[in-house]
Amino acid sequence: MKYCSQCGASLVYRVPPGDDRPRYICDKCNMVHYQNPKVVVGCIPVWEEKILLCRRAIEPGLGKWTLPAGYLENGETAEKGAARETFEEAGAVVEIAQPYALYSLTFVDHIYFIFYARMRDSHFSPGEESLSVKLFSEAEIPWDDLAFKVIEEILKKFFRDRSRDKLTFQVGEIAHR
């Protein structure tokens, strides 16, 4: 950041009084500009024991597979955001069943909040951010062609939990790419 979004003055980078880390501060209007993690919401959409994945049409991970997910919008609940992203990227209408995973990606300042969801029907189609969408059984998952490490970890835990017939809420951290 170079300029204050409130008054337009130049910013300095220092620890504000009472804080424990450096922030961008405007010496003219005293505005502290906090930079916080982005929240990514998404689903593990299931239809007849298969998982719906999207093949990405955008970077990062162009051409690789992932769960439908994206940034949570202001004024939107996590559940509605996850369902919206699933519809936008995969054309699938889902019913959110339960929260499944919360992962901190500290190397990119993202929080992933993923829900287990049931597809309402077998209709799906790629959105603008997807080259294609497809249902996969566990044996068919393209493990070597997944776009993100966090998705690989979530899917592995999901299939492990599902084989035990008990989905447990997962919390984790990915500290590097």
Side-chain angles (χ1 to χ4, degrees), residues 77-135:
T77 67
E79 296 95 322
K80 289 205 185 298
R84 173 188 51 77
E85 285 290 342
T86 301
F87 184 74
E88 287 177 3
E89 293 185 7
V93 177
V94 294
E95 181 179 306
I96 301 292
Q98 70 182 68
Y100 182 68
L102 180 68
Y103 272 75
S104 298
L105 279 65
T106 53
F107 69 98
V108 288
D109 299 322
H110 286 166
I111 304 292
Y112 268 67
F113 193 8
I114 303 296
F115 294 87
Y116 166 63
R118 293 179 197 93
M119 293 172 56
R120 289 202 178 151
D121 55 42
S122 62
H123 299 292
F124 55 87
S125 60
E128 286 188 29
E129 295 181 5
S130 299
L131 295 170
S132 59
V133 289
K134 183 179 174 185
L135 288 166

Side-chain angles (χ1 to χ4, degrees), residues 1 11 25 79 105 127 129 176:
M1 295 183 79
L11 298 175
I25 302 168
E79 296 95 322
L105 279 65
E129 295 181 5
H176 53 80

Side-chain angles (χ1 to χ4, degrees), residues 6-8 16-17 19 67 76 82 100 104 110 115 117 121-122 130 138 142 146 154 165 170-171:
Q6 187 155 321
C7 74
D19 208 332
L67 291 170
E76 184 175 57
Y100 182 68
S104 298
H110 286 166
F115 294 87
D121 55 42
S122 62
S130 299
E138 180 177 3
L146 293 176
I154 289 169
D165 226 10
Q170 304 293 317
V171 177

Side-chain angles (χ1 to χ4, degrees), residues 35-103:
Q35 294 178 301
N36 303 104
K38 295 258 188 202
V39 178
V40 175
V41 291
C43 289
I44 302 171
V46 176
W47 178 257
E48 296 180 350
E49 301 301 311
K50 291 189 173 189
I51 306 297
L52 187 65
L53 295 180
C54 304
R55 192 164 165 248
R56 292 180 58 82
I58 59 173
E59 292 290 359
L62 175 67
K64 295 191 177 277
W65 293 93
T66 191
L67 291 170
Y71 293 124
L72 182 66
E73 297 290 347
N74 290 334
E76 184 175 57
T77 67
E79 296 95 322
K80 289 205 185 298
R84 173 188 51 77
E85 285 290 342
T86 301
F87 184 74
E88 287 177 3
E89 293 185 7
V93 177
V94 294
E95 181 179 306
I96 301 292
Q98 70 182 68
Y100 182 68
L102 180 68
Y103 272 75

